[in-house]
Amino acid sequence: MKKEAVLWESLDSNKVKCKVCAWRCERTPGQRGFCRTRMNIDGKMYTLIYGSMISRGSLDPIEKKPLYNFWPGATAYSIASIGCNFRCKHCQNWNISQCTISEDGKNGFYEIAECEGRGMKMYETTPEKLIKDVVKSGAKTIAYTYNEPLIWHEYIVDVAKLAHEHNILNILVTNGYSTPEADQELVKCMDAANVDVKAFTDKFYKEVCGVQSLQPVLDTCVRWKNAGMHVEITNLIIPNKNDDINEIRALSKWIKEDLGPETPLHFSAYYPTFRMDEPRTSSDILEKAYDIAGEEGLYYIYVGNMRSKQGGNTYCPSCGNLVIGRVGYSFTSLDLKDGNKCGKCGKYLPGLIGIYNPNKSSRGFFL
């Protein structure tokens, strides 16, 4: 639905400047931002997706986000809208990220050849109604995910504040292309984030993602971590695009130095989709990346989208003991004391937060 936006300023000639994401779009009346969801209407900036969702939500294992060190074993109530401030050629959720919202926020439509003539009916709900649904579901976390949640700023902030009143935590699954202005509001109500650092070069971001620079993403991660949010990083490794071992090593070093060695890093396998047809990621490069991150001193390294002997497990950084064994999204073993101490050496596990539910289901389902 349409609602006047926050974090924008008026310019000359009824032009407006949006400050929600690092594009900082300047638009004349009738023009939309790069995200396709924010619009200058008569000299004011509006969001067109306030309360507009692709479904009522779904229940997912929190590990699917992926978050392995924040409430492992918990269930996340996942919600999504449409639109994105990136144009990734390999987007795995392109059918919603590259969809455009109607001005009244009730329908999605496509302007890309892959979906010409198709549309999408949106589900609308208020923050109050959504929180009632989350409470009824029994989930203790809400994940803003699948499309880019940062462009949904007004709605996710309103929902997150209500969620805290019901002792429900908030999770962002995001590309991290934020601004200091937006982060001032986000860090007050968001508890955790998985940030997709898509590569460690501007060249990749320009050629593959359609944005100018990696730096805003790195700056966002640092701001969030310094403000006390739990941050995990995902890096989808694509053959011939971002699989250079020197780049992987540079990313690992940056995480250790700027975010801390306790920050989890997920290496994820790519498969051909949307507008990219590079071959699938090999297990060899994922295992190599795993080893490199370990060599650089990161405590928690994971491998996703592909079976890995050790890449789903959590190990004690002090003694190497297996504290959480996983296959897929299910636990195979737990060896913890007092929630976040190693069952073998008894030392505190930095960066491991949460509760454990070994009997949880590994299946997600739509509500």
Side-chain angles (χ1 to χ4, degrees):
M1 64 186 75
K2 182 167 63 177
K3 183 175 182 177
E4 186 172 343
V6 300
L7 301 180
W8 61 275
E9 65 174 302
S10 297
L11 303 176
D12 293 340
S13 303
N14 273 345
K15 199 174 184 180
V16 298
K17 182 176 183 177
C18 181
K19 300 180 180 179
V20 161
C21 93
W23 275 107
R24 297 186 180 273
C25 293
E26 296 184 10
R27 295 294 185 263
T28 58
Q31 289 185 327
R32 297 184 185 224
F34 192 80
C35 64
R36 304 189 184 98
T37 68
R38 310 177 79 79
M39 185 175 184
N40 180 338
I41 300 176
D42 298 328
K44 293 183 179 180
M45 179 63 80
Y46 282 80
T47 172
L48 307 179
I49 56 171
Y50 188 91
S52 298
M53 297 165 49
I54 60 172
S55 74
R56 290 178 59 193
S58 62
L59 293 178
D60 294 320
I62 200 167
E63 288 83 358
K64 187 179 178 181
K65 299 302 98 189
L67 287 173
Y68 276 33
N69 282 40
F70 183 81
W71 279 38
T75 297
Y77 192 106
S78 297
I79 63 171
S81 189
I82 60 176
C84 187
N85 53 2
F86 278 27
R87 298 289 186 268
C88 297
K89 295 177 181 178
H90 60 296
C91 182
Q92 297 177 4
N93 293 317
W94 61 270
N95 61 318
I96 59 173
S97 71
Q98 303 308 308
C99 193
T100 300
I101 192 72
S102 59
E103 188 171 330
D104 62 6
K106 296 181 182 297
N107 296 283
F109 62 92
Y110 292 95
E111 300 174 300
I112 56 176
E114 288 84 351
C115 291
E116 188 174 358
R118 289 173 51 189
M120 181 184 298
K121 181 72 174 178
M122 303 300 292
Y123 173 83
E124 292 189 351
T125 189
T126 64
E128 293 77 12
K129 176 63 169 61
L130 175 63
I131 292 300
K132 287 181 180 179
D133 290 342
V134 177
V135 171
K136 184 178 179 180
S137 77
K140 295 302 182 182
T141 69
I142 301 175
Y144 310 92
T145 181
Y146 298 127
N147 78 312
E148 178 47 56
L150 294 180
I151 64 173
W152 211 7
H153 182 92
E154 293 81 4
Y155 187 68
I156 66 173
V157 167
D158 287 350
V159 169
K161 290 176 180 177
L162 284 178
H164 277 175
E165 293 178 9
H166 291 82
N167 296 315
I168 295 168
L169 301 179
N170 297 286
I171 298 164
L172 287 171
V173 183
T174 173
N175 61 33
Y177 207 59
S178 188
T179 65
E181 296 94 328
D183 291 343
Q184 286 182 8
E185 297 186 0
L186 293 171
V187 298
K188 295 176 183 177
C189 56
M190 296 296 163
D191 302 285
N194 184 291
V195 181
D196 189 359
V197 179
K198 298 177 184 293
F200 211 61
T201 65
D202 284 344
K203 182 176 185 291
F204 183 99
Y205 271 79
K206 291 175 182 178
E207 295 181 358
V208 178
C209 305
V211 297
Q212 293 303 303
S213 174
L214 159 70
Q215 194 60 49
V217 178
L218 304 184
D219 293 342
T220 294
C221 294
V222 172
R223 285 193 296 266
W224 289 355
K225 189 69 183 282
N226 288 345
M229 282 175 61
H230 176 88
V231 175
E232 302 194 17
I233 303 297
T234 291
N235 179 226
L236 183 77
I237 297 182
I238 305 173
N240 307 314
K241 297 293 183 182
N242 65 348
D243 61 344
D244 183 87
I245 60 173
N246 293 322
E247 182 178 339
I248 293 169
R249 191 174 297 279
L251 169 63
S252 301
K253 286 182 177 180
W254 171 79
I255 291 173
K256 181 183 179 181
E257 294 172 1
D258 287 50
L259 301 182
E262 76 286 352
T263 304
L265 171 57
H266 302 255
F267 292 112
S268 191
Y270 149 90
Y271 57 85
T273 187
F274 195 33
R275 293 173 175 170
M276 186 171 286
D277 59 3
E278 296 294 333
R280 286 175 176 263
T281 310
S282 71
S283 59
D284 289 344
I285 186 59
L286 287 175
E287 296 301 333
K288 182 63 175 177
Y290 184 99
D291 291 342
I292 289 172
E295 291 169 4
E296 293 303 325
L298 298 188
Y299 296 164
Y300 308 108
I301 310 150
Y302 301 107
V303 172
N305 277 359
M306 183 178 287
R307 290 281 182 173
S308 171
K309 184 177 180 180
Q310 58 188 2
N313 298 331
T314 303
Y315 296 93
C316 173
S318 296
C319 71
N321 179 45
L322 175 64
V323 292
I324 306 176
R326 297 183 182 87
V327 172
Y329 302 134
S330 297
F331 295 153
T332 58
S333 64
L334 288 173
D335 190 11
L336 292 159
K337 295 190 300 187
D338 302 325
N340 60 359
K341 294 180 181 178
C342 176
K344 182 178 180 180
C345 71
K347 291 187 177 179
Y348 167 72
L349 296 162
L352 182 64
I353 300 170
I355 61 172
Y356 304 91
N357 178 15
N359 297 315
K360 77 181 179 70
S361 169
S362 63
R363 294 175 297 171
F365 55 89
F366 283 91
L367 301 172

